[in-house]
Amino acid sequence: MPILSIQSEVVYGHVGHQASRFILERMGHPVWAAPTVLFSNHLAHKTVTGRVLPAAEVRELIDGVRKLGVLGKANAILTGYLGAPETAALVAEVVAEVKALNPKALYICDPVIGDQGAMYVKPELAKALSEILVPIADVLSPNVYELGHLTGREVTSRAQAVEALHALSRRTPACAIIGTGIPDPNHPDELAVLALARTSKSDSGTVSMATTKRHPLFASGTGDAFAALFTARYMRDHDLKAAIEAAVAGMSHIVGETAATGSDELKIIETQNKWAAALEA
């Protein structure tokens, strides 16, 4: 199942396409990777070189794919870090075009805005994600910060996360809305993923949960890796509960090994047999 992926590209490390492409391809999904930024490494390192690609350059790359006549073969569009607000408008155009060619194609949106209590994209990009892409997504996967930002709510517990998921559902037709990295004061050693599944926008939906041990972590890219793990499993049969459980199990292997070795980059390659087994179960 080919996946058109539009997100960041780095030379060194495991964020953006360097976190997601290997996972998806390891699980049998060809990835058509359109970069939104070209950086030497992710921004959490002390130095970085490279640049954000203007939307016109991203468009040029996708135009080239269009000329091959293959866009309709994409079964999903996956987006992550976009870099520029104009790229959000381009994504909306591409999603509409792919869906016109292949009505079964899914748009899976990881609305990358911030983490650890802070926004790390420009406010204009955060606004574009909220106003342009959230309303057209089939699947949304905000982290706890992004879930709070998109709903204007405080999210510091599982109960608050469930309320925020329902609030976000009123702004989007998405059939699956997933909140990741959810803390809870009653479970300080755990993080949860909560997912709202519904059959239509008028459906109040049902909530599923998967939990994992909290690890001390200094690496970036967990959201990118989770989105890839989830997408790889979800594309099999659209079973949301099974997909979040498999993705959480896979992430526990990646994060556990990363934390155990004190690495500042995710151990995706080293743990591939373990997370692949979790997705195949």
Side-chain angles (χ1 to χ4, degrees):
M1 291 186 178
I3 294 171
L4 174 60
S5 179
I6 306 173
Q7 54 184 302
S8 61
E9 192 89 22
V10 297
V11 176
Y12 171 85
H14 296 288
V15 300
H17 281 136
Q18 276 59 42
S20 64
R21 182 193 288 116
F22 177 72
I23 291 171
L24 290 166
E25 293 186 339
R26 174 73 166 76
M27 301 311 299
H29 299 282
V31 177
W32 307 340
T36 57
V37 307
L38 293 174
F39 287 147
S40 57
N41 47 265
H42 64 72
L43 303 182
H45 286 290
K46 293 181 179 179
T47 63
V48 62
T49 59
R51 65 192 180 99
V52 173
L53 292 184
E57 293 187 22
V58 183
R59 181 185 296 278
E60 182 180 359
L61 295 172
I62 293 174
D63 283 345
V65 177
R66 179 185 296 109
K67 291 176 181 178
L68 298 176
V70 298
L71 278 181
K73 296 181 181 180
N75 286 285
I77 306 99
L78 172 65
T79 60
Y81 184 71
L82 297 184
E86 296 81 9
T87 303
L90 170 61
V91 167
E93 293 178 28
V94 173
V95 168
E97 181 176 0
V98 171
K99 283 177 167 286
L101 295 167
N102 179 9
K104 293 183 179 180
L106 293 177
Y107 173 35
I108 301 171
C109 176
D110 179 7
V112 178
I113 295 172
D115 201 1
Q116 303 295 321
M119 181 185 296
Y120 54 64
V121 303
K122 293 181 179 179
E124 295 84 0
L125 176 53
K127 182 179 180 182
L129 288 166
S130 177
E131 295 182 356
I132 298 174
L133 298 186
V134 166
I136 66 170
D138 296 303
V139 178
L140 280 169
S141 61
N143 63 31
V144 63
Y145 172 81
E146 292 153 354
L147 182 59
H149 176 82
L150 291 170
T151 59
R153 292 168 175 259
E154 182 179 43
V155 182
T156 59
S157 70
R158 296 173 185 176
Q160 289 177 337
V162 171
E163 293 175 355
L165 289 174
H166 283 291
L168 186 55
S169 75
R170 293 190 282 273
R171 299 189 48 225
T172 176
C175 59
I177 307 173
I178 307 156
T180 64
I182 308 298
D184 192 276
N186 296 321
H187 305 274
D189 297 327
E190 292 181 349
L191 291 175
V193 171
L194 292 163
L196 175 66
R198 57 185 182 163
T199 56
S200 68
K201 192 172 182 180
S202 60
D203 178 14
S204 60
T206 58
V207 176
S208 301
M209 181 176 73
T211 62
T212 187
K213 180 181 177 181
R214 185 195 288 264
H215 292 277
L217 193 67
F218 306 99
S220 299
T222 53
D224 305 319
F226 177 88
L229 292 166
F230 168 82
T231 299
R233 177 61 181 82
Y234 189 68
M235 293 301 292
R236 184 198 303 180
D237 53 18
H238 295 186
D239 185 331
L240 181 59
K241 186 174 186 295
I244 66 165
E245 289 175 348
V248 167
M251 281 303 301
S252 70
H253 293 301
I254 295 171
V255 171
E257 179 68 14
T258 304
T261 57
S263 175
D264 59 1
E265 294 290 347
L266 293 175
K267 296 293 185 178
I268 293 173
I269 308 299
E270 296 84 347
T271 57
Q272 62 179 287
N273 291 336
K274 293 180 179 178
W275 53 253
L279 294 184
E280 290 167 346

